[in-house]
Amino acid sequence: MALENYNKVFETEHYIFHFKENSLAEKYINYISNTQENCYKKITSLLNIFPNFKIHYYLIDSPIIVGKIYNEIHCDGDDEPCNGFTNYPDTIYCVYNNEIKCIGLHEDTHIISYCKFRPKSAFLREGLAMYMDKFWHSKTNERWVLESINKGFEIDFFKLLNNNNFFKIDCNISYPLSGAFVNFICENFGIKKFLSELYYTKKNYIKQLNLLFKYKKQDMHNSFVEFIKTKSEAK
């Protein structure tokens, strides 16, 4: 595997960090570890999930290497450059260099939330992680969504809950949209309702959405658009 040089280790209460000697990650390992421990406290407190293991965190030099690691693990021919991903149940691979610092809440939210259940829908999985992030490339999720709407993008939550549809869309639309959607659900019903009725359910997602909102699909869409405009104007 492309990890043979990542033999330096730094352990904290909830993490085991792996990195190369004399790397940028080694230089800033105290900052990185403090950041992730703070993220861990925030995520576990919100989700009320407390893993019984430490998370292995590989701090990699480049997206190319992370992409190769992804392909080595999944053997699916997909070795496109990648900034970060989780390998269930306990490992995160992410880029940490001068240009990209893929640390924070996102991947940790995946690992910790999956301790209870991993939803089939990528829209919900990424939605919770993006809800925690709040931002995508320095702009709020809601700002990205508003810009997409203004460019003519048509939102259809019911279609996006299907993974084939979700992964067809530019990630600059799909990821912020998923986070804004979860924020919309949480502001209407609370995080506990989102988790129990959508994220952790094994029931049909569309039926669950209809049960939550109890009104027509177009009305839900209009309500979401108004939510996006309000949130964007408030920033």
Side-chain angles (χ1 to χ4, degrees), residues 78 84-85 91 107 118 137 170 182 210 213 227:
D78 181 6
F85 73 95
T91 305
E107 303 300 341
R118 184 178 184 270
H137 297 304
D170 185 335
V182 172
N210 287 329
F213 281 92
F227 170 82

Side-chain angles (χ1 to χ4, degrees), residues 15 30-40 103-105:
Y15 292 88
N30 287 323
Y31 166 75
I32 294 168
S33 61
N34 288 334
T35 297
Q36 295 317 118
E37 284 290 349
N38 287 331
C39 290
Y40 186 95
I103 60 173
L105 293 156

Side-chain angles (χ1 to χ4, degrees), residues 99-235:
E99 291 77 34
I100 302 168
K101 295 173 177 59
C102 190
I103 60 173
L105 293 156
H106 192 105
E107 303 300 341
D108 304 56
T109 297
H110 287 317
I111 286 286
I112 294 169
S113 68
Y114 296 168
C115 288
K116 185 172 181 179
F117 181 69
R118 184 178 184 270
K120 292 182 179 179
S121 172
F123 184 62
L124 296 180
R125 296 197 303 265
E126 297 303 336
L128 180 59
M130 289 299 298
Y131 168 75
M132 299 298 292
D133 282 341
K134 308 298 182 191
F135 290 84
W136 176 260
H137 297 304
S138 302
K139 288 190 287 192
T140 66
N141 292 329
E142 290 77 20
R143 173 58 62 179
W144 277 101
V145 175
L146 182 61
E147 291 177 2
S148 298
I149 292 171
N150 289 339
K151 291 177 182 177
F153 179 77
E154 296 184 6
I155 298 169
D156 189 330
F157 301 125
F158 297 94
K159 286 186 178 180
L160 289 170
L161 287 164
N162 180 286
N163 288 348
N164 289 331
N165 295 325
F166 179 80
F167 288 117
K168 287 178 182 177
I169 299 171
D170 185 335
C171 62
N172 287 320
I173 298 175
S174 61
Y175 274 58
L177 177 56
S178 68
F181 169 76
V182 172
N183 193 20
F184 173 61
I185 297 292
C186 290
E187 291 222 355
N188 276 278
F189 305 104
I191 182 69
K192 290 183 179 179
K193 197 79 169 177
F194 164 73
L195 292 172
S196 63
E197 300 300 318
L198 279 175
Y199 195 80
Y200 289 131
T201 188
K202 294 182 181 180
K203 299 177 182 178
N204 181 278
Y205 293 128
I206 294 175
K207 288 182 179 179
Q208 290 301 102
L209 267 181
N210 287 329
L211 286 173
L212 273 176
F213 281 92
K214 295 182 174 62
Y215 51 64
K216 294 179 180 179
K217 177 180 174 180
Q218 188 59 45
D219 292 334
M220 185 175 74
H221 174 272
N222 293 340
S223 180
F224 177 73
V225 171
E226 286 304 311
F227 170 82
I228 290 298
K229 290 179 179 178
T230 300
K231 286 293 182 181
S232 298
E233 289 170 358
K235 300 301 178 183

